[in-house]
Amino acid sequence: MRPYSSDLTPPWKKPKPVPEIAADPGLVVEEPATGFCGAVIRCEAGTVTLEDRFGKHRVFPMEPRGFLLEGRVVTLVRPAAGPSRPSRTASGSVAVPGARARVARAGRIYVEGRHDAELVERVWGDDLRGEGVVVEYLEGVDDLPSIVASFAPGPDARLGVLVDHLVPGSKEWRIAEQVTSEDALVVGHPYIDVWEAVKPSSLGIAAWPRVPRGQDWKTGVCRALGWPENTGAAWQHILSRVHSYKDLEPALLGRVEELIDFVTAPA
């Protein structure tokens, strides 16, 4: 005689088993009830903490069939104990252990100055090397039309340009309109200088100071914050406090990633 079972659910109505996935740090999943998508940063006491690309945290119970991984329903389980290596780059992308730099593409990303280039390298350097994208700086945008004409962007050599203080009606805005085309994309952030794209909280200040018109902005910032009036040293201090995308404002993050997507898109 078969043992008695209190489960009278017909087999065809029982949910199909789903994969059990270890909630390792860096794993990107979606909680379908809320649509929140983020990387695992912590797993404890039957819950998992996710962080989205803007640094927002949400805690969810690790219930069966509770998450989506690349569109598939999965059950998250506690990862096995033991050391693990970092699984994300400074930009928040999934790291590829042992990945080599790719041969440089014909396409390029231009930024306005050296500070912009150093900040992009600090956060997106691993991604750019993996995609074979070279970043160069212009020392201003006044000559951008002739530079773009000389570069001669095309489907196999796209050009992306990141501009400071790109707001409607500005000089930068008018220049950007001149050079934008199907194979040349100019985007920008609203800040006077890329310094402002670093979150004040990452520097331990309440806010970036307002500098009166007519003053050199960087020197004015140093004065207002009580820093020595050495803008080179000030920038090195600022850059040292940037460890990942979490230290940057979304207005810059989105624009850089837009440029990377543009220059790496298939012809």
Side-chain angles (χ1 to χ4, degrees), residues 103-245:
V103 175
R105 295 173 181 265
R108 291 286 188 275
I109 291 177
Y110 288 166
V111 297
E112 276 207 57
R114 182 170 59 84
H115 293 180
D116 307 66
E118 289 175 346
L119 187 61
V120 169
E121 163 61 27
R122 191 169 190 89
V123 176
W124 288 275
D126 289 339
D127 300 349
L128 292 166
R129 282 183 286 277
E131 294 288 352
V133 178
V134 175
V135 174
E136 301 179 9
Y137 63 90
L138 303 168
E139 292 294 357
V141 296
D142 290 348
D143 297 326
L144 186 58
S146 61
I147 291 171
V148 172
S150 176
F151 184 88
D156 294 318
R158 289 181 170 178
L159 178 63
V161 184
L162 179 69
V163 176
D164 296 342
H165 199 232
L166 189 63
V167 294
S170 66
K171 175 190 73 174
E172 292 82 2
W173 182 272
R174 293 191 294 272
I175 292 174
E177 287 187 321
Q178 291 179 44
V179 303
T180 297
S181 68
E182 186 175 347
D183 300 308
L185 175 66
V186 180
V187 301
H189 55 73
Y191 309 115
I192 294 173
D193 190 274
V194 77
W195 287 22
E196 277 193 296
V198 179
K199 290 180 178 178
S201 58
S202 296
L203 296 170
I205 60 176
W208 285 101
R210 294 182 178 273
V211 177
R213 285 181 176 272
Q215 280 191 33
D216 177 73
W217 187 84
K218 292 176 181 176
T219 303
V221 165
C222 291
R223 287 175 185 161
L225 294 175
W227 296 350
E229 293 181 22
N230 180 333
T231 57
W235 169 244
Q236 291 306 313
H237 167 68
I238 294 166
L239 189 63
S240 72
R241 303 301 292 269
V242 175
H243 304 291
S244 76
Y245 71 97

